[in-house]
């Protein structure tokens, strides 16, 4: 059936390609005897609209239409042939052992007489792959991964990236000093686009097993390899990032990652010029200097721990460097006498010696690799010593960072905290997000629709279609998911229309925004903070603290949510420390500080202030226990890498 259908299709294609030009040549030969002469061209310029010229124009249009159709058919056929050739190239061929086993089995099947039997045959004896073929010849299963702009990342590496991104925000939370003016503008800077694309891609995936935490992606030969092909540099960057991320997630991993300066300049020129060190990465001028950085017991320790040292170079490397025992040397030098793996830009890898496929490798261009290294590069400055810092003072609320966007549309005016909230439509984004109409929660079927509501609550000035698409589906081309956005908005409007006639999402001047008349708890909190900062009214900061009912969109890990979530949290922490600094009752001051610690249990300054207050009221044991608990929490989170505070 399929063969007949394909034959009929091929016949139709050949007819389409051959019949029109034959007809045009046969029927129009009299009208087009040859190229026009100069006299004919002068006559056509004098009188262009003649029956002969119109006929010639129609014939030319017919030829152009046929040429366009022939081009489309040719390109489609070439694309399918290329895909088939790629499939055949990656098709694992039988090894000599497999060929021998197949020949023996075939001969036995032909020479053995068929003997009927009334008993069922015995089950076949299982044969391991080692008895028939070399382990390297085992066909590789397709690996799951994440496609990002500029590369492909395996699932386990993607989860390591998400963990590293979470550590970045935990470090920022730890270093923030509530009640003090923010002097570092990068504290609320969103993470690079490649990182957010990875976070969005694995948002609903379970983390990898703990056993693969420190494993090196794409196991390498003991002596190392030479990477070649169009994706060699991309794969070298992928190996480097993968190894550094695995070391970051596994604190017990102390094996070094060594790269020569010429290789770093070739692969990551922006990183080579940077002065910010990357934990675990050692840069050497020559390959011989790597021996001083390798553990003395590399052969045994790496065999037990399963995590060899990685040495990345673009210089010639011997097959078994005597001064680099136990290390995996990866070189980009074309003359290196090492096993060669050819890698394409999609990470597909083939052993050049035997043509067998190897595990798909992580591939990254220089931009994507630099984005991922941004979550690894940490300042070397220690956390500020609270003993030397000034006591907490009220922050200048004119400089308070409240999420806003500057555009041509006037922002909605949130309700004052003293006004009665008589609005029928209420949007709660602090804590678990919920849309309530007449005090009844509306069931929102699509998670993207809920995300749109929270995004527009954070950006009350509105957002364009492109901004919404980039926020909800980072890493994907906007034109490929715009229809998904329109479908989500249409479903959201239908859900709301079934309950109320009020509008929630309004489209004005090519921007989507929430109706200013609805009640949004985040807007009320921001309005209360702005009112307290400008009027310094008594009890104003208490209103801010009361309005905070939980983290922004608690329980959701959308890639764009971290900066506004942290900004809102800091606004409330500053309110707590400002009110605590104005208290004369030490017990009330301690209560406020403890309430702030419950909001952010990772902040170092809050724990120090609370410990000082406990010491002031004579409870030094509770102060020491508080600091010890904080230290344990930081250790479990993996951010205990800076000088710690002590009770005074």
């Amino acid at each position: 059936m399929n063969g007949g259908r394909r034959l009929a299709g091929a016949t139709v294609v050949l007819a389409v390609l051959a019949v029109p030009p034959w007809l045009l040549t046969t029927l129009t030969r009299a009208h087009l005897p040859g190229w026009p002469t100069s006299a004919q061209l002068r006559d056509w310029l004098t009188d262009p609209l003649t029956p002969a010229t119109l006929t010639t124009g129609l014939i030319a249009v017919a030829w152009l239409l046929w040429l366009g159709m022939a081009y489309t058919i040719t390109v489609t056929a070439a694309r399918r042939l290329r895909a088939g050739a790629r499939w055949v190239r990656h098709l694992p061929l039988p090894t000599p052992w497999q060929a021998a086993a197949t020949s023996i089995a075939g001969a036995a099947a032909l020479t053995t007489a068929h003997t009927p039997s009334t008993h069922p045959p015995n089950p076949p004896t299982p044969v391991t792959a080692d008895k028939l073929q070399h382990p390297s010849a085992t066909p590789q299963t397709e690996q799951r991964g994440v496609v990002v702009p500029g590369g492909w990342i395996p699932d386990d590496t993607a989860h390591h990236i998400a963990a590293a991104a979470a550590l970045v925000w935990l470090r920022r939370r730890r270093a923030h000093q509530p009640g003090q003016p923010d002097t570092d503008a990068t504290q609320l800077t969103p993470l690079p686009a490649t990182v957010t694309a990875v976070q969005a891609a694995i948002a609903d995936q379970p983390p990898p097993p703990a056993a693969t935490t420190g494993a090196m992606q794409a196991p390498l030969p003991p002596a190392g390899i030479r990477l070649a092909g169009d994706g060699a540099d991309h794969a070298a960057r992928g190996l480097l990032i993968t190894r550094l991320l695995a070391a970051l997630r596994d604190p017990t991993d102390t094996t070094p990652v060594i790269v020569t300066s010429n290789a770093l300049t070739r692969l990551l020129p922006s990183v080579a010029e940077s002065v910010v060190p990357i934990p675990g990465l050692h840069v050497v001028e020559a390959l011989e200097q790597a021996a001083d950085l390798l553990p003395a017991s590399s052969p045994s320790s790496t065999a037990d721990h399963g995590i060899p040292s990685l040495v990345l170079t673009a210089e010639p490397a011997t097959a078994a460097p005597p001064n680099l025992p136990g290390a995996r040397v990866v070189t980009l030098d074309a003359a290196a006498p090492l096993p060669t793996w050819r890698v394409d830009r999609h990470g597909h890898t083939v052993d050049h010696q035997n043509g067998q496929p190897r595990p798909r490798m992580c591939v990254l261009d220089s931009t994507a690799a630099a984005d991922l290294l941004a979550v690894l590069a940490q300042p070397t400055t220690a956390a500020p010593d609270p003993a030397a810092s000034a006591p907490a003072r009220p922050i200048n609320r004119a400089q308070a960072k409240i999420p806003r966007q500057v555009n041509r549309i006037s922002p909605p005016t949130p309700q004052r905290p003293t006004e009665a909230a008589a609005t029928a439509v209420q949007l709660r984004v602090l804590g678990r997000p919920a849309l309530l109409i007449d005090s009844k929660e509306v069931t929102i079927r699509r998670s993207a629709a809920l995300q749109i509501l929270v995004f527009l609550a954070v950006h009350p000035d509105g957002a364009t279609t492109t901004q919404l698409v980039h926020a909800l589906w980072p890493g994907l081309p906007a034109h490929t998911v715009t229809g998904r956005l329109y479908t989500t908005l249409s479903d959201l409007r239908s859900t709301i229309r079934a309950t109320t006639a009020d509008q929630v999402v309004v489209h004005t001047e090519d921007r989507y925004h929430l109706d200013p008349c609805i009640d949004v708890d985040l807007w009320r909190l921001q309005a209360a903070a702005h009112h307290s900062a400008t009027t310094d009214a008594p009890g104003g900061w208490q209103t801010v603290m009361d309005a905070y009912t939980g983290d922004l969109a608690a329980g959701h890990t959308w890639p764009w949510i971290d900066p506004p979530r942290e900004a809102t949290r800091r606004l409330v922490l500053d309110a707590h420390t400002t009110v605590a600094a104005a208290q004369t009752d030490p017990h009330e001051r301690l209560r406020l500080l403890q309430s702030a610690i419950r909001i952010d249990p990772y902040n170092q300054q809050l724990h120090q202030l609370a410990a000082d207050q406990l010491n002031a009221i004579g409870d030094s044991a509770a102060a020491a226990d508080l600091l010890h608990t904080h230290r344990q929490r930081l250790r479990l989170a993996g951010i205990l890498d800076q000088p710690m505070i002590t009770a005074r």
Side-chain angles (χ1 to χ4, degrees):
M1 182 66 68
N2 291 336
R5 188 181 297 111
R6 291 179 180 177
L7 180 61
T11 304
V12 172
V13 170
L14 291 176
V16 170
L17 290 176
V19 172
W22 176 77
L23 289 175
L24 289 173
T25 304
T26 303
L27 299 178
T28 63
R29 185 176 301 170
H31 297 279
L32 298 175
W35 292 101
T37 63
S38 58
Q40 291 174 335
L41 289 176
R42 284 195 301 269
D43 294 341
W44 177 78
L45 292 174
T46 303
D47 187 11
L49 299 179
T50 63
T53 57
L54 292 176
T55 303
T56 303
L58 291 176
I59 294 173
V61 170
W63 276 107
L64 290 175
L65 290 175
W66 177 82
L67 287 174
M69 181 173 54
Y71 172 79
T72 302
I73 294 174
T74 304
V75 170
T76 303
R79 186 182 298 112
R80 292 184 178 180
L81 287 175
R82 192 183 305 113
R86 187 183 300 115
W87 178 81
V88 171
R89 185 168 63 251
H90 292 292
L91 184 66
L93 299 177
T95 62
W97 284 106
Q98 287 176 308
T102 304
S103 301
I104 294 172
L110 292 175
T111 57
T112 303
H114 174 68
T115 303
S117 175
T118 58
H119 301 285
N122 295 327
T125 303
V127 181
T128 62
D130 293 337
K131 296 181 181 179
L132 293 179
Q133 61 185 19
H134 191 272
S136 63
T138 303
Q140 300 293 334
T141 59
E142 184 64 22
Q143 294 175 264
R144 296 183 57 183
V146 175
V147 177
V148 297
W152 179 86
I153 302 173
D155 272 355
D156 54 349
T157 304
H159 283 281
H160 292 173
I161 294 170
L167 290 181
V168 170
W169 286 107
L170 286 181
R171 292 175 190 274
R172 293 179 178 182
R173 290 173 61 179
R174 177 194 180 187
H176 173 61
Q177 299 187 52
Q180 303 292 333
D182 288 330
T183 57
D184 187 358
T186 64
Q187 285 295 301
L188 295 177
T189 302
L191 298 181
T194 306
V195 179
T196 57
V198 172
Q199 289 176 307
I202 65 170
D204 299 327
Q205 296 182 13
T212 63
T213 299
M216 181 183 293
Q217 184 261 338
L220 308 178
I225 57 169
R226 179 178 74 88
L227 297 178
D230 296 338
D233 288 6
H234 293 61
R237 297 187 193 96
L239 275 175
L240 181 64
I241 299 298
T242 299
R243 189 65 192 86
L244 291 173
L245 286 168
L248 177 68
R249 188 167 183 178
D250 186 4
T252 62
D253 181 8
T254 58
T255 54
V257 180
I258 305 170
V259 59
T260 57
S261 57
N262 63 340
L264 187 62
T265 303
R266 171 177 171 175
L267 299 175
L268 296 166
S270 60
V271 177
E273 299 173 358
S274 176
V275 297
V276 179
I278 299 173
L281 180 63
H282 303 274
V283 182
V284 296
E285 293 297 328
L287 191 62
E288 291 73 16
Q289 300 175 2
D292 299 333
L293 300 174
L294 294 174
S297 57
S298 283
S300 60
S301 62
T302 56
D304 296 337
H305 196 41
I307 309 174
S309 302
L310 175 65
V311 179
L312 182 60
T313 179
E315 300 174 344
T318 61
N323 56 339
L324 301 178
R328 300 297 188 265
V329 179
V330 178
T331 181
L332 302 172
D333 179 67
L338 287 174
T340 301
W341 286 5
R342 304 196 67 84
V343 190
D344 63 14
R345 290 184 176 268
H346 303 287
H348 298 290
T349 309
V350 176
D351 193 322
H352 185 67
Q353 277 66 33
N354 53 28
Q356 293 298 321
R358 295 301 179 188
R360 189 176 182 183
M361 300 182 69
C362 175
V363 284
L364 300 166
D365 63 9
S366 57
T367 302
D371 284 353
L372 298 183
L373 283 176
V375 302
L376 295 172
Q378 297 294 335
T380 56
T381 55
D385 184 8
S389 62
R393 59 181 182 277
I395 191 172
N396 182 4
R397 287 299 162 182
Q399 303 175 355
K401 294 184 178 180
I402 301 177
R404 286 285 188 266
Q405 285 184 339
V406 180
N407 50 61
R408 60 185 180 276
I409 301 178
S410 300
T413 304
Q415 295 180 354
R416 291 276 300 276
T418 56
E419 296 175 356
T423 309
V425 182
Q426 299 174 319
L427 179 61
R428 300 289 175 261
V429 297
L430 298 176
R432 185 180 67 85
L435 177 65
L436 294 90
I437 298 178
D438 294 331
S439 301
K440 295 182 179 179
E441 183 173 349
V442 178
T443 302
I444 300 177
R445 294 185 293 269
R446 296 175 179 263
S447 59
L450 182 63
Q451 191 174 172
I452 290 173
L453 291 176
V454 179
F455 186 86
L456 295 180
V458 172
H459 303 88
D461 299 342
T464 63
T465 299
T466 302
Q467 290 171 335
L468 283 173
V469 166
H470 287 168
L472 270 65
W473 299 285
L476 298 179
H479 66 277
T480 62
V481 289
T482 302
R484 192 186 308 178
L485 174 66
Y486 294 153
T487 302
T488 302
L489 288 170
S490 176
D491 182 79
L492 176 62
R493 289 194 177 104
S494 300
T495 301
I496 296 174
R497 220 172 10 245
T499 308
T500 180
D502 295 336
Q503 288 187 335
V504 176
V505 179
V506 184
H507 189 250
T508 307
E509 296 185 16
D510 199 29
R511 299 180 73 88
Y512 294 95
H513 61 88
L514 296 179
D515 190 333
C517 296
I518 70 174
D519 176 30
V520 182
D521 54 355
L522 177 63
W523 294 357
R524 284 191 281 106
L525 183 145
Q526 294 172 347
H530 181 72
H531 177 70
S532 300
T534 54
T535 63
D536 201 18
W541 301 120
Q542 185 63 46
T543 305
V544 175
M545 292 185 289
D546 295 340
Y548 186 77
T549 56
D551 286 344
L552 179 65
H556 294 277
T557 57
W558 303 319
W560 60 268
I561 196 66
D562 285 313
R565 176 182 288 167
E566 180 63 16
T568 307
R569 183 189 292 116
R570 291 185 178 189
L571 191 65
V572 179
L573 293 180
D574 292 345
H576 278 78
T577 53
T578 300
V579 175
Q583 289 291 330
T584 57
D585 183 1
H587 294 278
E588 181 63 19
R589 186 182 299 118
L590 177 62
R591 185 191 67 80
L592 289 169
L593 292 174
Q594 289 173 334
S595 178
I597 289 176
R598 282 191 291 271
I599 295 175
D600 190 354
Y602 295 96
N603 187 268
Q604 177 171 318
Q605 179 76 3
L606 290 175
H607 283 80
Q608 181 62 70
L609 293 175
D612 293 344
Q613 198 60 42
L614 286 169
N615 285 327
I617 62 177
D619 196 348
S620 57
D625 183 67
L626 177 67
L627 297 181
H628 175 73
T629 302
H630 180 236
R631 186 180 296 108
Q632 292 296 109
R633 181 177 291 110
L634 296 181
R635 179 178 292 108
L636 291 176
I639 56 175
L640 188 64
D641 57 354
Q642 295 178 349
M644 290 303 304
I645 54 179
T646 57
R648 297 193 297 270

